[in-house]
Structure formats: C-alpha cells, structure tokens
C-alpha cells in the first residue's frame, strides 16, 4: 500500500473508531449475524433495517433456527422491507448452510460469493469482518466517497465504473485491519460524505479531496440515466363471502412479490371504470367461479405504489359473493399471511374498520 493510500485508510479508521454508531451487528464477528445484517441492509437504511434485524435475531437466534422456519414465516417477518427476493434467498441460503455445510459459513470470499443472494459486496463484508480477509467492499457509500475524494467521473453503474471502483477500493483496503477499514468507509459515506449536504467543513479529508477543490461535490458520483419506469394498473377484487370469508391467493411464477399473498388480481393496460371491468373475461370468470353478486369501488382516488422499476396504479373493488368457496379463508386469518405493503395497508384500513 502506498503512503497516500495508507494515509487515506488510517484517517478513515481513526474517524470510525471515534464516530461509529453502536449497532448490534458491530458487537460480533459471528458470520450469521453479520450476514443477516448485510442482507437486511441491502437497499435499506439502517434506521429502517434495525428493527427487522432485532426481530430476526429474536425469532431465529441461529442459522439452524432460521433454516427450521417456513418460507412463509420468514416472508411474514420480512414484510414491509420490500425486495422480497432477499428474504427468499436468505431462507434458501440458511437451509443450505444448515443442512449441507453443517451450520458453518464458508470462511473466504470465494466460498461466500457462491451462496445464493450473496454478491460481491456482501461476500467482501463477511470475509473482512468475520475472517480478516482483505477484500474491499463497494456499496453506494463507497462509490460516493471514492468518486468525490479522487474526482472520478466514470459512471458508477457502468461496467467500466464497477470494475474501476472495485480495483481502486481493493488497493486502498488496510490488509492488517480490513474489517474496520470496510466499515469505516461505509460509515463515513453514510454520515459524513452524505448524498445531500455533505459535511465538508468538518471533513478529515477536506484538504486533499479533489471534488471539493474543484467544486464538483454535487456532481459526483456520476450515474447513467435509469431505464424508463413502467406503469402498470392493478385491480384487486376483494371477494367477501356471506359467511365472512375472502379469497386470498399466493403469487406464483417469476416477478414481484413471489410467494406473497393477494386478492384475485386483474391487470389492465390503463385505469378502468366499473363497466369496463365487468366486461373483462377475467372478471366474468371470477364472477362465475365465486358467485359475485355486487361490485363496489373502494378507493375513488387511485393508489400509486412506487417500486424501483415500476409504478403500480391500484384500485380495490369490493365484491360480495353468494357462494361459499372451499378455498376461502376467514377474514380474521389474513393478517397472518405475508403480503406486500400495498395489500397490508388496505386490509388494515378496510377489515379492521369493519370489526
């Protein structure tokens, strides 16, 4: 490591040891807890993820406990965090480690990255923190710190940028203390070199920060424009049977919210009114199957649920049924099912009001 790189790392670690937040996963080097925290914190702020981490540790103190749960239980505990593939991968990997690896995590980056749901960042974090391997992490915070400090304008979400920043991060990592180094640069990006209003005046690196000297702080890091967000229209048919039950279905196949539950769904290419809905073949099939005798729109104002890659324009339609279905479930039970937040918000507002 060159003197300038050593300076960078030592300054960051010194800052970190003074300013780091007291977080439960930083009090241990056990890979289960570090892995759990890293999976939860992917695309999630610390303040949002912390209660989920505590809930998972309480419910599943060991990886074998997590492996012995059901996927449905794991998805329910995950509810509200979004990006549910993380939870499915978490559960799948827990079962693999518990059953195939006798509960022992791989002890190297190369072994860790083979695990389902574990990418370069997570493998590097676990390898450095738990096994003292000098493997550099690169996340959004690291991209921001490095691009600003060195004045790098390569787009961070380009193939060239991903390779360039990983190589740079690897040259900077403290070989003797990689765990603290990785946590230091991430913490520094989260709390000092923030996306908006970074605290440059009190920054320990302000005398040598290229972007500060050149007035480029607000322009870095550079990101290529995202692909256009797709708009979709969801019409949920909330069927209420005469004996107080409803139809709740598990989403299957690929796509968002796999293995979560929902009411029967009819997708449309645009917002549709009641007459248009009644004419759809999908609705007529539902009506015949469940004996729908009335249909009322629940939300006059369309509900917009925003995901990273799509915006979902949603209407809930309340349908009374004259027929008792064998697959219907009591309304009181649907609160125990794992559901997207979009559905959970509705069932809390509608069914609790009816009690």
């Amino acid at each position: 490591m060159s003197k300038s790189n050593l300076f960078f790392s030592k300054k960051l670690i010194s800052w970190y040891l003074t300013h780091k937040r007291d977080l439960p996963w930083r009090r241990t080097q056990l890979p289960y807890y570090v892995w759990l925290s890293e999976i939860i914190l992917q695309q999630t702020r610390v303040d949002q993820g912390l209660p989920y981490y505590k809930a998972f540790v309480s419910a599943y103190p060991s990886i074998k406990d997590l492996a012995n749960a059901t996927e449905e239980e794991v998805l329910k505990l995950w509810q509200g965090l979004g990006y549910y593939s993380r939870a499915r991968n978490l559960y799948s990997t827990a079962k693999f480690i518990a059953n195939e690896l006798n509960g022992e995590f791989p002890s190297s980056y190369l072994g860790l990255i083979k695990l389902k749901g574990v990418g370069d960042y997570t493998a590097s974090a676990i390898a450095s923190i738990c096994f003292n391997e000098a493997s550099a992490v690169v996340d959004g915070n690291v991209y921001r710190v490095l691009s600003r400090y060195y004045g790098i304008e390569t787009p961070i979400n380009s193939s060239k940028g991903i390779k360039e920043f990983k190589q740079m991060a690897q040259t900077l990592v403290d070989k003797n203390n990689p765990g603290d180094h990785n946590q230091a640069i991430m913490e520094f990006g989260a709390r000092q070199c923030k996306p908006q209003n970074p605290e440059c005046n009190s920054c320990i690196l302000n005398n040598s920060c290229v972007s500060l000297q050149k007035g480029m702080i607000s322009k870095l890091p550079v990101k290529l424009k995202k692909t256009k967000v797709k708009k979709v229209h969801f019409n949920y048919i909330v069927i209420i049977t005469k004996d107080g039950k409803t139809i709740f279905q598990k989403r299957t196949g690929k796509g968002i919210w796999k293995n979560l539950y929902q009411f029967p769904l009819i997708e449309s290419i645009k917002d549709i009114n009641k007459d248009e809905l009644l004419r759809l073949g999908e609705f007529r099939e539902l009506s015949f199957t469940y004996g729908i005798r009335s249909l009322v729109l629940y939300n006059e104002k369309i509900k917009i649920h925003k995901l990273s890659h799509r915006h979902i324009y949603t209407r809930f339609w309340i349908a009374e049924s004259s027929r008792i279905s064998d697959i219907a479930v009591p309304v009181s039970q649907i609160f125990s099912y794992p559901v997207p937040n979009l559905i959970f918000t509705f069932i809390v507002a509608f069914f609790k009001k009816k009690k």
Side-chain angles (χ1 to χ4, degrees):
M1 181 183 288
S2 68
K3 287 185 177 180
S4 60
N5 289 351
L6 184 62
F7 164 82
F8 180 84
S9 182
K10 294 298 184 186
K11 290 280 280 188
L12 282 180
I13 291 175
S14 177
W15 176 92
Y16 171 71
L17 294 176
T18 302
H19 296 90
K20 67 178 180 178
R21 288 167 288 185
D22 182 20
L23 300 170
W25 50 85
R26 288 180 175 162
R27 303 172 200 151
T28 179
Q29 290 182 307
L30 293 176
Y32 171 63
Y33 297 110
V34 175
W35 166 71
L36 185 60
S37 71
E38 294 298 343
I39 299 300
I40 287 174
L41 293 177
Q42 289 173 7
Q43 298 167 305
T44 301
R45 301 186 314 274
V46 168
D47 58 345
Q48 183 188 8
L50 181 56
Y52 285 89
Y53 174 83
K54 291 180 177 178
F56 267 88
V57 168
S58 177
Y60 312 116
S62 72
I63 196 161
K64 290 187 177 180
D65 294 319
L66 179 56
N68 288 333
T70 66
E71 184 183 72
E72 200 162 291
E73 290 170 335
V74 172
L75 286 170
K76 182 62 181 176
L77 199 57
W78 190 273
Q79 186 174 296
L81 265 182
Y83 298 97
Y84 288 89
S85 61
R86 292 183 293 168
R88 293 191 294 269
N89 290 337
L90 183 85
Y91 178 63
S92 177
T93 294
K95 291 182 73 68
F96 175 76
I97 293 175
N99 298 328
E100 304 299 325
L101 303 182
N102 198 31
E104 296 293 327
F105 272 80
S107 58
S108 69
Y109 171 89
L110 292 177
L112 289 161
I113 202 167
K114 294 177 183 177
L115 299 175
K116 194 171 183 178
V118 173
D120 173 75
Y121 161 76
T122 304
S124 293
I126 300 170
S128 62
I129 295 169
C130 304
F131 304 110
N132 206 40
E133 182 177 340
S135 183
V137 295
V138 182
D139 70 348
N141 291 311
V142 176
Y143 279 126
R144 188 165 56 257
V145 172
L146 295 183
S147 65
R148 286 175 173 173
Y149 183 71
Y150 289 101
I152 303 171
E153 298 182 56
T154 309
I156 62 174
N157 56 343
S158 66
S159 56
K160 180 183 178 182
I162 291 169
K163 182 178 180 180
E164 181 179 343
F165 280 96
K166 177 66 178 182
Q167 289 176 340
M168 172 168 284
Q170 192 62 44
T171 64
L172 293 169
V173 69
D174 187 331
K175 304 293 191 294
N176 297 316
N177 195 3
D180 277 350
H181 170 92
N182 280 338
Q183 293 183 90
I185 193 169
M186 290 189 290
E187 185 82 339
F188 190 79
R191 303 186 64 198
Q192 185 82 31
C193 194
K194 298 177 289 187
Q196 304 296 326
N197 303 315
E199 299 176 11
C200 297
N201 290 338
S202 60
C203 178
I204 56 170
L205 300 171
N206 57 17
N207 288 331
S208 49
C209 177
V210 172
S211 64
L212 181 61
Q213 293 169 359
K214 293 185 176 181
M216 296 171 59
I217 290 289
S218 62
K219 297 178 182 179
L220 296 174
V222 175
K223 290 187 74 173
L224 297 174
K225 289 184 178 180
K226 293 181 180 179
T227 54
K228 188 176 180 180
V229 175
K230 182 180 179 182
K231 293 182 180 179
V232 294
H233 294 266
F234 281 10
N235 296 276
Y236 286 111
I237 313 301
V238 185
I239 300 171
I240 309 295
T241 65
K242 61 184 180 181
D243 61 339
K245 294 181 179 180
T246 190
I247 305 299
F248 226 33
Q249 304 169 329
K250 181 185 282 191
R251 287 180 67 95
T252 57
K254 295 181 179 179
I256 61 169
W257 302 333
K258 179 183 176 183
N259 293 345
L260 301 184
Y261 285 78
Q262 65 180 16
F263 301 102
L265 170 64
I266 296 175
E267 294 190 40
S268 57
I269 60 174
K270 64 180 182 68
D271 185 32
I272 57 176
N273 59 33
K274 180 178 178 179
D275 290 338
E276 291 171 314
L277 180 60
L278 291 173
R279 288 197 295 267
L280 293 177
E282 290 176 88
F283 180 81
R284 281 188 263 181
E285 185 178 335
L286 272 178
S287 183
F288 176 78
T289 302
Y290 298 112
I292 293 175
R293 63 187 184 189
S294 69
L295 185 71
V296 177
L297 177 62
Y298 172 74
N299 55 315
E300 289 290 344
K301 183 178 180 181
I302 198 163
K303 172 72 175 176
I304 303 175
H305 187 75
K306 295 183 178 181
L307 302 175
S308 59
H309 58 299
R310 69 180 66 183
H311 291 173
I312 303 172
Y313 293 73
T314 310
R315 292 201 187 277
F316 292 91
W317 301 84
I318 312 303
E320 291 188 355
S321 170
S322 60
R323 192 176 302 159
I324 299 174
S325 172
D326 291 338
I327 65 170
V329 298
V331 166
S332 60
Q333 291 183 11
I334 66 174
F335 292 90
S336 65
Y337 287 84
V339 296
N341 254 10
L342 177 64
I343 301 291
F344 185 72
T345 301
F346 167 79
I347 62 177
V348 168
F350 181 72
F351 288 110
K352 285 200 171 181
K353 189 183 296 183
K354 290 178 68 70
K355 288 183 178 181

